[in-house]
Amino acid sequence: MSNGQPPTPKDFLQELRTSRRTQGMAVVFLAVLAGMVWMLWPEQPKRRARAVAGAPAPVPGEADPQLKALEKLPDLAKLTKAGELPRDPEMSRDLFLFDSRQAETEVYEVFVPPPPPPTPEVVETKRRQADRDIQAGTRPQGVRYLGFLATRKQGQIGAFMKGEEPLTLPLGDLSFPGWKLVKLDDTGAEFQNLKYPDLRHKIQPSDGAGPQQPGYVRNEF
């Protein structure tokens, strides 16, 4: 090799016999090569090799005792799925909450007692209010107030129109059931309910031909 010629296999063997360094490198190379071949072997041949080397051969028809032992350990039995991705719903969750415990929904039943029965005072108040509403619905309707005339003999007389027919009602008239004519003036005719004196109804004055503009008062008499 000193004359610049490439080394031949004969020269390599001679170097391997005489050089300790070359021998050591060859041993290391062979050990690395054997380790790489062992890592590339399939899993089944490795188990068979271990069984042949150390453990007794399994009886035909029986399961491997080592596999039975692994099946009892659920965490170790799932090691073959360690490289699989989680399901889509789990991947869409927050990374910080991926392994956290899910929140539990707590349901509470609250007993609500029934409302107390109404007192007699409340019942009477509701009854009177309903009766007042009925009385208010009977107020004089369908008439227009035209004006009034004051006489010495009959006192004040109100002039009204009911549809197309003229109607005259003296003060204190009871022509409308449940109502009494109690006031006549230029501002209107006022009726009072006989059952509830504080319940009153006032008709604004208007022209015989129809309603007038606000603020306009006309006495047909």
Side-chain angles (χ1 to χ4, degrees):
M1 292 185 292
S2 60
N3 55 3
Q5 296 293 331
T8 61
K10 185 177 180 181
D11 296 333
F12 179 74
L13 294 176
Q14 182 65 28
E15 180 72 19
L16 186 61
R17 294 194 197 98
T18 57
S19 175
R20 296 283 185 183
R21 180 179 178 184
T22 304
Q23 293 174 0
M25 293 178 62
V27 172
V28 172
F29 175 75
L30 292 176
V32 173
L33 182 61
M36 294 177 63
V37 173
W38 176 260
M39 293 177 62
L40 294 176
W41 274 14
E43 188 66 20
Q44 278 305 110
K46 288 182 182 180
R47 293 180 179 176
R48 293 175 183 174
R50 296 194 191 101
V52 172
V59 180
E62 293 185 1
D64 191 348
Q66 295 182 356
L67 294 178
K68 287 186 177 181
L70 286 176
E71 291 177 357
K72 296 179 180 180
L73 302 175
D75 295 337
L76 296 179
K78 296 179 181 179
L79 288 178
T80 56
K81 299 181 180 180
E84 297 181 5
L85 292 175
R87 296 185 297 274
D88 292 341
E90 295 179 351
M91 294 181 65
S92 63
R93 292 163 55 189
D94 194 339
L95 294 177
F96 294 99
L97 303 176
F98 188 78
D99 295 327
S100 62
R101 184 178 179 182
Q102 296 183 359
E104 297 180 356
T105 303
E106 297 182 357
V107 179
Y108 297 94
E109 294 184 1
V110 180
F111 174 74
V112 179
T119 61
E121 292 78 6
V122 174
V123 174
E124 180 62 21
T125 301
K126 291 183 177 180
R127 187 196 65 79
R128 286 180 60 85
Q129 183 61 42
D131 191 41
R132 284 177 61 90
D133 295 339
I134 294 175
Q135 293 294 325
T138 62
R139 65 185 181 272
Q141 296 180 3
V143 294
R144 298 197 309 272
Y145 176 57
L146 304 179
F148 71 95
L149 175 65
T151 64
R152 294 181 181 179
K153 213 172 186 183
Q154 297 182 353
Q156 290 182 327
I157 300 176
F160 298 87
M161 290 291 294
K162 188 174 183 180
E164 298 298 330
E165 296 181 4
L167 181 66
T168 57
L169 300 176
L171 191 65
D173 183 78
L174 299 174
S175 299
F176 297 96
W179 294 86
K180 179 181 179 181
L181 182 59
V182 295
K183 186 178 180 181
L184 290 170
D185 57 17
D186 292 338
T187 63
E190 188 172 346
F191 293 84
Q192 182 182 30
N193 186 264
L194 299 178
K195 191 172 184 179
Y196 299 100
D198 61 325
L199 188 61
R200 300 202 173 195
H201 175 64
K202 188 172 184 179
I203 302 177
Q204 301 291 336
S206 62
D207 191 354
Q212 296 294 332
Q213 298 178 356
Y216 177 81
V217 177
R218 178 177 178 181
N219 194 332
E220 292 295 314
F221 286 103

